Amino acid sequence: MFSIKKFFSETKPAFREKVFCIWRLLSARERLFVFSLCAVITIASFSWFFLYYFKNTEIGPDFGGKYTEAILGEPRYINSVLAQTNDADRDLSAIIFSGLTKYNKSGGIDPDLAEKYEISNDGKTYTFYLRKNIKWHDGEDLTADDIIFTIATIQNMEYRSPIRINWQGVIAEKIDNYTIKFSLNNVYTPFLENTTVGIIPKHIWQDILPQNFLLAKFNLQPIGSGPYQFKKLQKDKLGKIISMEFSSFDNYYSGQPYISALNFSFYDSPEVMVQIYNNKLAQGINFLSAEDKNKIKDNANIYSLKLPRYFAVFFNQNQSVVLADKNVRLALNYATDKRKIVDEILGGNAETVNSPILPDLLGFSSDIKIYDFLPEEAARILEESGWRDFDGDGFREKKIKNDKKEEEILPLEIALATTNWPELFNVAEFLKKNWEQVGVKIVVDAKSIGEIQQEYIKPRKYQALLFGQILSYLPDPFSFWHSSQKKDPGLNLSLYDNRNADKLLEEARQMVSEEGRAKKYEEFQNLLISDIPAVFLYSPHYLYAVSNKIMGINIDKAVTPSQRFSDINKWYIETKRVKKENL
């Protein structure tokens, strides 16, 4: 700060004496005027400086801070070769691994590890050119060898990758350390989406045998090339993982992430996650039900994204004589009030669907058979096909002949399996009421997501399954409905088997023309809907909550919930003033 006393004490004596002489000649009023003038000049100078500073700078991101998110479920395989069947695995893999390409905020595909790529004129060859000097979290270089190894692992059936089908018939060839070529037997337009899969390090995994692949410690202590690296995990006394911590990767090719640390805590109950958030023990929730949306306190931003996914009841006719009767499957469709499910259970945060190909996706057609809510029609179909209430208990039965030609009474009873997540459980209970009104006895069997996957889906041990399927913006229903995908790790949950449908799906995969593929998918839809392998219910909006203290989140469309982390290196908590970019 300027001091007159200091100024005069440090000034040469002769000059100082002259100044004092002049000062003594001034009157009190003149001295006040001089002081005032100096004060005005000083204030004006500082004001101009601050005005210039704030006009030419803006609030920008700074490094530091810690983000904690509550996640529904528990990680098992933070390994992009295996992660596709578990939301927690997908979420964590998204921050650990990088792919050749990645989805952008609008649902399109951008280069990631690849600096650029080229597609041959015939659509059968894809060449990728890697960025130089990309590092793994342990400091090793990432090269074409890692890409070749990852794809070979996915293609090897001994590793049981859920995405193996997407890479069948693809030849991966190393051109040099930073160039890879993929050759396809046939044109497959959605192939570029396959290249978003995270790449795993060859030097870590190459000596681990297939039979030990699922047991390796690196599934829960992963090493990748993404924006964050594994730091530590915590388990409870029963061995359940309760939290994992990750630190920013300073050598991330796209620049050091702003947020220094990420912490993920895992829960079995959405209600508990809401409590955790409201008690300020987390700054985000990876999944928010419509029911819980209004329970979040005001300091949160609620993001709502439309994902290409749907929920349905998948019928496993191999496990149920009742469901092998097409008339029963038809009646269940007519007895389902989808509109009420969306309005009353989902709070309007969904759209009803009638097909495995959703509106706005290639191949969707509104000119399909729609099973409206007609309970009287459902009852009539059951009655006329021999399902009647013979004992007066309110539920139908059917008289059949057994192997010994003896007459038996077959009860119209179905076990409906789903997860114990409240929203899905409520939908299951709603379907139970709907279907029991037309005389179908329903037993709801709700388990944890892990139990559903391991005990039901993997061995296909269920009669009817209320579950969801995630598509992409370049739809390819092959994995979900082709007969080759009936067994695990395939995703054909209805065990649907129709040669004509298989042919349509195979032909659509090989067409370059969008018009041609759309026509094949329309034919496939009509065929599948006629066979009634499921009751298609709704496509929900993806809701997730993040504290308004977390900035830099920018996404319009997503293919999967984990895609919200596509630009997590740009999220930030701490701020500083930076020069405006347009100056």
Side-chain angles (χ1 to χ4, degrees), residues 3 31 70 77 320 348 419 430 525 556:
S3 168
R31 291 178 184 177
Y77 308 116
S320 171
T419 71
F430 181 88
Q525 283 180 92
D556 301 321

Side-chain angles (χ1 to χ4, degrees), residues 188-426:
Y188 177 45
T189 305
F191 175 75
L192 199 59
E193 288 193 304
N194 294 350
T195 63
T196 61
V197 65
I199 301 302
I200 62 174
K202 178 181 178 180
H203 68 280
I204 294 294
W205 289 97
Q206 64 182 340
D207 294 326
I208 298 175
L209 298 175
Q211 59 265 35
N212 298 325
F213 194 71
L214 301 181
L215 306 174
K217 71 173 185 177
F218 299 108
N219 285 315
L220 292 175
Q221 299 178 32
I223 293 175
S225 60
Y228 286 88
Q229 56 188 342
F230 171 79
K231 186 175 181 181
K232 63 181 179 181
L233 63 81
Q234 183 180 359
K235 297 182 179 181
D236 62 16
K237 294 179 180 179
L238 300 177
K240 175 181 170 61
I241 298 174
I242 57 177
S243 70
M244 296 187 77
E245 189 170 332
F246 302 84
S247 59
S248 63
F249 181 40
D250 296 348
N251 289 325
Y252 181 52
Y253 85 85
S254 190
Q256 180 183 352
Y258 288 114
I259 299 177
S260 297
L262 304 180
N263 187 77
F264 296 93
S265 48
F266 307 101
Y267 303 92
D268 294 326
S269 165
E271 292 87 349
V272 173
M273 294 200 302
V274 171
Q275 293 173 12
I276 291 294
Y277 180 88
N278 288 338
N279 290 332
K280 302 185 185 303
L281 297 176
Q283 297 158 297
I285 299 177
N286 83 318
F287 186 86
L288 192 63
S289 69
E291 182 181 356
D292 290 332
K293 180 180 177 181
N294 297 326
K295 298 177 183 178
I296 295 292
K297 291 183 178 178
D298 294 336
N299 64 342
N301 292 320
I302 308 296
Y303 296 89
S304 177
L305 300 175
K306 289 185 179 181
L307 304 182
R309 64 172 178 169
Y310 64 85
F311 283 82
V313 176
F314 300 94
F315 298 136
N316 184 352
Q317 300 175 44
N318 292 350
Q319 295 289 317
S320 171
V321 176
V322 168
L323 289 172
D325 185 341
K326 184 176 180 179
N327 287 311
V328 171
R329 305 196 305 274
L330 178 61
L332 293 175
N333 270 272
Y334 279 122
T336 303
D337 192 346
K338 304 176 187 180
R339 185 72 262 165
K340 208 166 185 179
I341 291 175
V342 169
D343 292 340
E344 295 188 3
I345 299 178
L346 305 176
N349 293 291
E351 281 81 36
T352 61
V353 297
N354 302 290
S355 160
I357 296 188
L358 306 180
D360 299 328
L361 297 186
L362 181 70
F364 172 77
S365 172
S366 57
D367 187 22
I368 55 175
K369 173 65 178 177
I370 295 177
Y371 301 109
D372 293 317
F373 179 53
L374 299 171
E376 297 84 1
E377 177 68 6
R380 183 194 66 78
I381 291 170
L382 292 172
E383 190 75 19
E384 292 184 356
S385 57
W387 294 99
R388 298 168 185 172
D389 184 8
F390 294 106
D391 57 9
D393 65 350
F395 299 111
R396 299 176 183 272
E397 300 86 26
K398 189 174 187 178
K399 295 178 180 179
I400 61 171
K401 295 285 182 69
N402 60 22
D403 295 338
K404 297 180 180 180
K405 306 296 184 181
E406 299 172 340
E407 188 174 83
E408 288 185 354
I409 299 295
L410 176 65
L412 185 51
E413 180 176 329
I414 301 169
L416 176 60
T418 191
T419 71
N420 55 13
W421 169 48
E423 193 164 277
L424 270 185
F425 179 75
N426 291 340

